[in-house]
Amino acid sequence: QVQLVESGGGLVQAGGSLRLSCAASGSAFRINAMDMGWYRQAPGKQRELVAAITSGGSTDYADSAKGRFTISRDNAKNTVYLQMNSLKTEDTAVYYCAAKNWHASDFRSWGQGTQVTVSS
């Protein structure tokens, strides 16, 4: 129903920064009424929620991301961002963008993922 495309991943040294983007599209789709999130999955580990932003603009972060990551949205561009600062090697993972209607209980639409690799 909703197409999500992530970009901005890459290789970065520990302590560096990356900005991930998630472009959303679809028939009559706007992110205005959507809750958006960023998940990540490292090899051998379960997928975990990193950050989320509601249609109203409130945000939530995993403890590991608080103070370092910032999720934001630009509704006019149908785009969600994840600014990642002070990156650590343990942040290495595939990062996925997710979307759901504000009244849905679970994220239902997913992007293809973008690889983030942090070297020491």
Side-chain angles (χ1 to χ4, degrees), residues 14 29-30 82 96 100:
F29 176 79
R30 296 291 185 272
L82 184 67
Y96 298 92
K100 70 177 184 70

Side-chain angles (χ1 to χ4, degrees), residues 12-90:
V12 65
Q13 190 176 10
S17 299
L18 284 174
R19 188 194 192 201
L20 306 183
S21 298
C22 172
S25 63
S27 298
F29 176 79
R30 296 291 185 272
I31 69 168
N32 303 50
M34 309 294 289
D35 293 348
M36 307 295 294
W38 285 97
Y39 284 79
R40 68 185 180 189
Q41 186 165 25
K45 295 184 177 294
Q46 288 188 304
R47 182 188 64 189
E48 64 174 344
L49 180 66
V50 178
I53 184 167
T54 69
S55 60
S58 62
T59 58
D60 190 36
Y61 299 92
D63 287 341
S64 61
K66 289 179 180 177
R68 300 189 299 123
F69 293 5
T70 302
I71 187 171
S72 61
R73 63 196 300 152
D74 187 337
N75 290 342
K77 296 182 178 180
N78 278 330
T79 302
V80 178
Y81 305 96
L82 184 67
Q83 179 67 45
M84 304 186 293
N85 298 325
S86 302
L87 283 163
K88 306 174 181 179
T89 55
E90 49 262 49

Side-chain angles (χ1 to χ4, degrees), residues 71-120:
I71 187 171
S72 61
R73 63 196 300 152
D74 187 337
N75 290 342
K77 296 182 178 180
N78 278 330
T79 302
V80 178
Y81 305 96
L82 184 67
Q83 179 67 45
M84 304 186 293
N85 298 325
S86 302
L87 283 163
K88 306 174 181 179
T89 55
E90 49 262 49
D91 295 318
T92 296
V94 177
Y95 284 71
Y96 298 92
C97 180
K100 70 177 184 70
N101 192 284
W102 70 269
H103 58 73
S105 59
D106 300 307
F107 288 99
R108 299 181 180 181
S109 299
W110 300 86
Q112 82 286 357
T114 185
Q115 177 70 47
V116 172
T117 303
V118 184
S119 62
S120 60

